[in-house]
Amino acid sequence: MSRILFTLWDGGGNAPPVLSVAGALVDRGHEVRVLADRSLRGAVIGAGARHVPWTTAPQRASADPSTEFVRDFEPRTPLGASARLRDRLIVGAAPAFARDTLAEIRREPVDAVVSENLLLGSQIAAVEAGVASISIVPNIYPGEVPGVPPFGLGLRPRDDRIGRARDRVAAAIGRRLWNKRLAEMNQLLAARGQRPASSLFEMLERPERVLVLTSAAFELGGGAAAPDSVRYCGPRLDDPDWAGGWSEPAGSGPLVLVSLSTTTQGQDAMIRRVVRALGGIDARGLVTTGPSYAADGVEVPDNVTIVASAPHSAVLPHADAVVTHAGHGTVIKALA
């Protein structure tokens, strides 16, 4: 039996696959506890692990959108959203995540720390404590990979002179954005007795193992050029603890599942447009809003059902199409 400490933040779709791994380790007889937001307490307990809330690090208290602290839906550009994630989670909160993680390791020793990949502070704490540091990526690998376009831009690979120049420029812009607060990260590393990083992207490669919870075939390049520490473990297809049950909508038309973001992304106008469009075709629409969006006031046609949640693993075998914002969980379940 190993003693394993998971560290996790509530970013919506990132939590269920990580907790699925935690639950699988519990089933194999390991002692697992999860240092995570108070909003994830029920999900952690449901996975069979022990929940420990953060003490000084930022966290969500509930699924209420007002408790979100990153709020990456507020900036008007993708670069602004990335900067918000950098400032409020990856770098800005890293000292607090390091402090809380180290305190928990000292309170009750562990053999390994398995941290969600953006919690760099937890990884730094594991190194300081002298225990195995393992990073877990709940979707696709976000680091720099030769021959693969920079993460997050939606670019297709191009193996020609123009494509390589495009990727170099895009990577330089992304690196410059992330490294605006590299000095602060290096101050934290120095304070914890660790060598400085040349970039924030380097920090993604420092853990002893980086476990990516998708199929290598789903990655651009098939994951072949990823760093040696990266392991593709396949997707976790479990439904979140709040998914509940479902009843198939009445009727004989094709079933269309609509699933946008688990977290707040300003999706109100889009949901209304999708629902209105479904009302004009011969189909049965099932709209799952998730825990952060209330569909109050949405005009619902007779052939559309709106529910707060439904287990997608049970719905998808009956569905003919999926309308989604392309979050990894929904896309990979639809493909499966």
Side-chain angles (χ1 to χ4, degrees), residues 101-184:
T101 303
L102 193 59
E104 182 60 23
I105 295 171
R106 288 171 175 167
R107 185 186 70 83
E108 191 174 337
V110 297
D111 301 303
V113 173
V114 181
S115 55
E116 206 264 10
N117 69 303
L118 299 183
L119 298 185
L120 303 185
S122 293
Q123 297 163 24
I124 292 169
V127 172
E128 181 174 354
V131 301
S133 175
I134 301 167
S135 170
I136 191 164
V137 182
N139 35 65
I140 64 175
Y141 181 65
E144 295 181 311
V145 179
V148 175
F151 176 82
L153 299 178
L155 300 174
R156 295 177 64 85
R158 285 189 59 169
D159 189 21
D160 57 18
R161 185 166 56 86
I162 294 175
R164 288 189 289 271
R166 176 203 66 182
D167 291 350
R168 282 196 301 271
V169 171
I173 293 172
R175 201 177 299 116
R176 182 177 180 184
L177 172 72
W178 288 103
N179 287 350
K180 280 186 176 181
R181 298 190 66 175
L182 177 62
E184 293 174 56

Side-chain angles (χ1 to χ4, degrees), residues 9 58 69-70 84-94 97 116 118-120:
W9 71 288
F69 63 92
V70 175
R84 179 68 64 88
L85 193 67
R86 175 200 66 200
D87 293 343
R88 296 194 176 184
L89 180 73
I90 299 173
V91 178
F97 284 122
E116 206 264 10
L118 299 183
L119 298 185
L120 303 185

